[in-house]
Amino acid sequence: MRETLFSLRHSLFAKIMFAAGTMLLLGIGALSMLNVRTQNDLLMDNILAGGDRLMNTIRLGTHYAMMLNSRDDIAQIIANISRQPEIRNIRIYNKAGQVKFSSHPDEVDRQTNIRHEACNICHRTEPPRLRLPLADRTRIFTDNQGQRFLGILSPIYNEPSCSEASCHVHPADKQVLGALDLVVSLADVDREMVLYEQKTTGLAAAVFMITALAIFGSVLVFVNRPIKRLITDTRRIGRGVHPDRPAVTREDEIGELARAIFQMSNEIRAKHNELHREKDKYQNLFEHVPCLITVQDRNFRLLDYNREFKDTFDPVPGDFCFHAYKGKGIKCRNCPVEKTFRDGRSHYSEETGYAGDGSDAHWLVTTAPIRNPDGQIVAAMEMCLDITSLRRLEERLKLSEQKYRTIFNNVPGAIFVLDPDTLTILDCNEGVTPVYGYPRQELRNTSFLSLFRDSEQRDWQNRLRTSPVIEQARHRTADGGRIFVTIRISPAREGKQDVLLVITTDITKRLEVEQQLIQAGKMATLGEMATGVAHELNQPLSVIKTAAGFLKRRVRDGRPVPDTTLAAMTEEIDLQVDRASGIITHMRDFGHKGRIEMEPVRLNTVLTRAFDLFSRQLRLREIEVDWELSAELPMVRANAGRLEQVFINLLINARDAIDAAWDGREYGQGDKRITLRTFHQKTLVFVEVSDTGTGIPPEIEDRLFEPFFTTKEVGKGTGLGLSISYGIVEESGGTITGFTNRFGGATFLLKFPVLGS
Ligand SMILES: Nc1ncnc2c1ncn2[C@@H]1O[C@H](COP(=O)(O)OP(=O)(O)OP(=O)(O)O)[C@@H](O)[C@H]1O
Ligand SMILES: [Mg+2]
């Protein structure tokens, strides 16, 4: 019952019905009352007017009798008129309030109190009011049986006809002579009124009922039921069941509302689907992102975690973060989740724990707060990126750097790290001290060029940037001495900076040993050339001998020598002595140890000098020499003395090969021939020594430059000539190759870089 009342109180339908019913009831009620009242007023007005007319009729009817003072006539007239059923009483009062005539004869001459009843109408004021409107002269009263009556009082005024009549006693100054009082019953009127009231009430009730029913039906059909359908639909939408069409298909406001709800439902469905997709996407991301994600409460209890986390740690339900990650029983000291709960911000930290397999693991941890709609932090999300491999790499890198440092500092040799633009020494190893005598720190931030001689620095500046290897360079040491070094240059990167990694190797000792070897080679060559040189020297000596013999015979015979002859002979002797001493000087120079330094060299000159020592030997063997020297040959950087030895070695080999090839054979013009050719192309200078000897069989082509490789008989060759030559050419930055030429002989091709390239 209470529930019904409650639902009624909160029912829109009941409210509408109550409001409409009340309004209708009040309206119809008010209308009916107004109607009844108006009707009553009208009836009363009619009664009044009728009464007034009756009064006038009585007054006029009795006027004549009064003029004649015929009391019987007056009484008769009154009696006649009062026979009408609705008339209760007709009285005529004199001025003193005495009933002079009455339709009830027993009342005649009865004195009434003028303060009471009808008299009071005029006598309530002193002096009494003479003229009163009809409304004031009427009264309604009820008798003992409850019947209502209407009394109308009309004063009887003194008229001239009255005061002047001889029969009369009324003085002229008397204005009112008495009053006519008519009392009519209101029983009929009251009956009529009650009837009318009943009819009106009945009609009002009928109208009320019909209208109320109509409103009830309309509200039920047009409002209540559609709204119920809308409510049902809306509730279903709330539960996620979306309708296929609007709940109400009408064109009024409720139809509009139904369409709006249907549209809203469609939009909600679309949004919902989109939300689902987004949620799936993020869920997918959450699950498959390759990092560990957990959601934790204030007590570090795991509320949620992604698949990666589950696969790695397989936590028990309700597990704690510190336990799952580190197997600990209490929270970590520096916990980013705790900080996030405290200040609502993201925090980062690096944590170390155990991976799923129990091995050490490192994580980069990031946290973020999760808030409820009121902005309160209800959870914290923790993302851990596994950086174990990175850390291991870092450790390996650190170790490798330490290793590199150890190697860098302990390799036997000087290593420099240079700025490729300025050639400033950015770093150098401990090895620089034993090589250069400088402490490591002293060389840092100085120019690498300062290790070269001042005059050569410009030259080296270019070569350091372009050549990967400089075979031989001269460097200064801290004590002002000099050393020879091989420089190896390789571009590298240190961090983000391009650098040149330069390794210098002290080759001074090696060069000295080589020098000794070369010297030995030279001695061998000198020995080799001894016969030839003896022949060379023989010629000037025999010229001098002949001249001396001639002069001796003349002196012995006592025959004078003509001056011209003497002059010519001394001239010739002088010439031959010069020639012999030239040969001896050349031999001495060649045999001399010589300098190790490189210098700008003209290859044509060195080649010609080497040949000078040799020309006679070749001539004796009838070996022709072709010269094809380029006149504009650029200079090269080399050691002239050593190069001369190279060319002599090549000429000796060519001579031997030609001897071997033509020994015991017929030969003609040009068959025994050595061709010496020089030329240059771009940045290279070439020297070619070709012969018409035995040529080089393919099987020994690769072994030509090996030390002690010889095909000559024991005692004839040591197998060092080409090997030493190879080293000499290489230290000048050049190369030497040997192959069989188109004449069947051998060609040795030497290439040198042009000076300054
Ligand atoms: N012009 C050439 N023609 C053919 N073979 C040559 C020629 N030059 C060198 N060879 C071959 O190369 C070998 C090595 O020459 P290399 O000059 O090094 O030593 P060698 O001449 O035998 O002895 P050494 O020069 O020490 O007296 C020679 O034994 C020879 O077989
Ligand atoms: Mg040789």
Side-chain angles (χ1 to χ4, degrees), residues 292 294 309 313 320-327 353-354 363 382 384:
L292 308 164
T294 58
F309 185 87
F313 298 107
F320 292 93
C321 164
F322 43 82
H323 181 256
Y325 272 111
K326 301 183 180 175
Y354 304 106
W363 298 288
E382 187 184 71
C384 294

Side-chain angles (χ1 to χ4, degrees), residues 653-654 657 691 694-695 704 709-712 717-722 746 748:
N653 283 348
D691 60 54
T694 51
L704 283 180
F709 174 76
T710 179
T711 56
K712 294 174 187 167
T718 60
L720 281 175
L722 282 182
F748 283 84

Side-chain angles (χ1 to χ4, degrees), residues 146-346:
Q147 194 178 340
R148 287 202 319 147
F149 295 94
L150 173 69
I152 306 170
L153 191 83
S154 179
I156 303 167
Y157 297 103
N158 193 10
E159 292 174 18
S161 55
C162 294
S163 55
E164 285 162 14
S166 55
C167 59
H168 250 330
V169 290
H170 302 301
D173 59 338
K174 221 177 185 177
Q175 287 186 35
V176 176
L177 301 178
L180 176 65
D181 184 28
L182 172 68
V183 176
V184 289
S185 167
L186 289 177
D188 288 348
V189 173
D190 282 346
R191 243 191 328 276
E192 215 172 306
M193 275 183 176
V194 168
L195 197 65
Y196 188 77
E197 211 173 291
Q198 284 171 346
K199 280 183 183 166
T200 306
T201 309
L203 185 67
V207 168
F208 172 77
M209 286 309 289
I210 291 167
T211 314
L213 269 175
I215 292 173
F216 178 85
S218 306
V219 173
L220 194 70
V221 173
F222 297 119
V223 178
N224 193 34
R225 282 189 191 148
I227 283 183
K228 274 195 174 154
R229 280 211 294 275
L230 285 180
I231 290 170
T232 312
D233 251 25
T234 314
R235 286 209 175 111
R236 285 160 58 107
I237 291 168
R239 288 199 302 275
V241 184
H242 295 274
D244 304 331
R245 54 179 179 280
V248 180
T249 50
R250 291 203 318 249
E251 289 307 316
D252 55 11
E253 287 83 347
I254 291 196
E256 185 78 7
L257 179 63
R259 280 194 294 281
I261 289 174
F262 180 63
Q263 187 183 344
M264 181 188 76
S265 159
N266 286 343
E267 281 169 15
I268 287 174
R269 180 161 41 187
K271 284 261 156 49
H272 200 252
N273 289 344
E274 197 180 326
L275 212 67
H276 253 289
R277 273 201 302 277
E278 287 289 302
K279 196 184 143 209
D280 286 351
K281 201 166 87 187
Y282 285 113
Q283 188 68 33
N284 215 22
L285 253 169
F286 179 77
E287 288 297 341
H288 294 102
V289 72
C291 69
L292 308 164
I293 302 181
T294 58
V295 178
Q296 306 173 17
D297 67 9
R298 257 172 214 286
N299 301 317
F300 316 103
R301 196 183 288 277
L302 302 175
L303 303 175
D304 199 3
Y305 39 78
N306 68 346
R307 187 171 299 167
E308 179 88 7
F309 185 87
K310 185 174 177 357
D311 293 348
T312 312
F313 298 107
D314 194 18
V316 292
D319 207 349
F320 292 93
C321 164
F322 43 82
H323 181 256
Y325 272 111
K326 301 183 180 175
K328 285 169 53 172
I330 50 164
K331 74 160 193 73
C332 311
R333 193 186 300 168
N334 187 20
C335 175
V337 171
E338 187 180 38
K339 288 183 192 164
T340 295
F341 269 113
R342 203 160 50 222
D343 61 13
R345 295 202 184 141
S346 274

Side-chain angles (χ1 to χ4, degrees), residues 462-500:
N462 274 342
R463 286 196 66 193
L464 282 168
R465 290 199 179 107
T466 51
S467 315
V469 182
I470 294 169
E471 287 296 340
Q472 189 184 322
R474 209 166 88 147
H475 269 179
R476 289 203 279 229
T477 55
D479 58 8
R482 48 139 229 204
I483 53 169
F484 290 91
V485 288
T486 299
I487 306 174
R488 287 195 166 71
I489 308 138
S490 55
R493 273 188 87 77
E494 213 177 69
K496 288 184 177 174
Q497 193 186 1
D498 285 330
V499 293
L500 286 180

